[in-house]
Amino acid sequence: MGLLLSGACAPSDWVRRWSHLVPAGGTVLDVACGGGRHLQWFHARNHAVAGVDIRPDAIEIAARYGEAVQADIEAGSWPFAGRQFACVVVANYLWRPLLPTLVASVAPGGVLLYETFADGNAAWGRPSRPDFLLRPGELLQACADLRVVAYEEGFSPTPTPRCVQRIAAVRPSTDGAAQPPTLEPGNPGPPR
């Protein structure tokens, strides 16, 4: 498939950091996928991938990696109704009415990896309208039915200065199977 893109087209550090939580071989959905930077990342790790975006040019690129659906998810119906995924990825996108649907789209044992702009971002640029900025603790509230593995909220200097919220949250498995490891690979955890 070639090398992963760099710069603005590279996968989010947050998504890369927590992608080990995704069950092996499970299908990954990228919401507002753009040209497919996260689709490419997970496809290279042997996951089936699906993406949705409003822009036809973005979908044309994203289709190189897997299922790509052009849809206006803010004005139209959810194109993945009745489906659940091993991972739902959302980066730099917020449409509050869709939050419950996104959480419900995480399969048992699956993971939600979400990262977007938060309250306070107006000091650093766009987006600056409250409609496009998460309120304090909003991702935690949206993920109340999931097991939160990691959460960050506040200022982030990279890749550009901004205020963000990030969450990695796992839906408990219904079959009693072991949950994926929650620590980052190579991190043994706190000293004993």
Side-chain angles (χ1 to χ4, degrees):
M1 197 36 74
L3 296 174
L4 285 172
L5 302 171
S6 62
C9 296
S12 152
D13 287 343
W14 184 258
V15 170
R16 289 188 320 196
R17 179 177 171 189
W18 297 105
S19 61
H20 70 280
L21 296 175
V22 181
T27 301
V28 175
L29 172 64
D30 188 0
V31 178
C33 66
R37 64 186 175 138
H38 296 116
L39 297 176
Q40 183 180 8
W41 171 259
F42 283 105
H43 177 59
R45 279 145 190 77
N46 299 313
H47 290 280
V49 294
V52 61
D53 202 283
I54 194 171
R55 296 181 15 235
D57 58 324
I59 289 302
E60 185 176 330
I61 296 167
R64 297 175 189 167
Y65 308 109
E67 180 183 1
V69 176
Q70 182 195 356
D72 182 347
I73 57 178
E74 295 176 12
S77 61
W78 178 239
F80 303 101
R83 289 177 65 184
Q84 289 188 312
F85 298 87
C87 180
V88 175
V89 174
V90 186
N92 301 328
Y93 177 77
L94 175 62
W95 181 246
R96 282 185 178 87
L98 195 58
L99 280 172
T101 300
L102 297 177
V103 172
S105 295
V106 177
V111 62
L112 174 68
L113 299 175
Y114 204 128
E115 171 184 37
T116 198
F117 300 97
D119 187 47
N121 195 68
W124 303 103
R126 297 179 73 182
S128 58
R129 289 183 33 211
D131 289 349
F132 303 114
L133 303 175
L134 287 165
R135 295 181 292 268
E138 191 168 359
L139 276 182
L140 286 172
Q141 292 169 1
C143 294
D145 292 339
L146 305 179
R147 182 172 58 95
V148 175
V149 174
Y151 177 77
E152 295 180 356
E153 180 175 344
F155 175 75
S156 176
T158 59
T160 58
R162 60 199 172 130
C163 290
V164 297
Q165 278 185 49
R166 302 174 173 125
I167 200 163
V170 175
R171 179 171 306 286
S173 178
T174 58
D175 64 3
Q179 291 289 304
T182 56
L183 294 173
E184 297 176 63
N187 180 352
R192 297 186 199 252

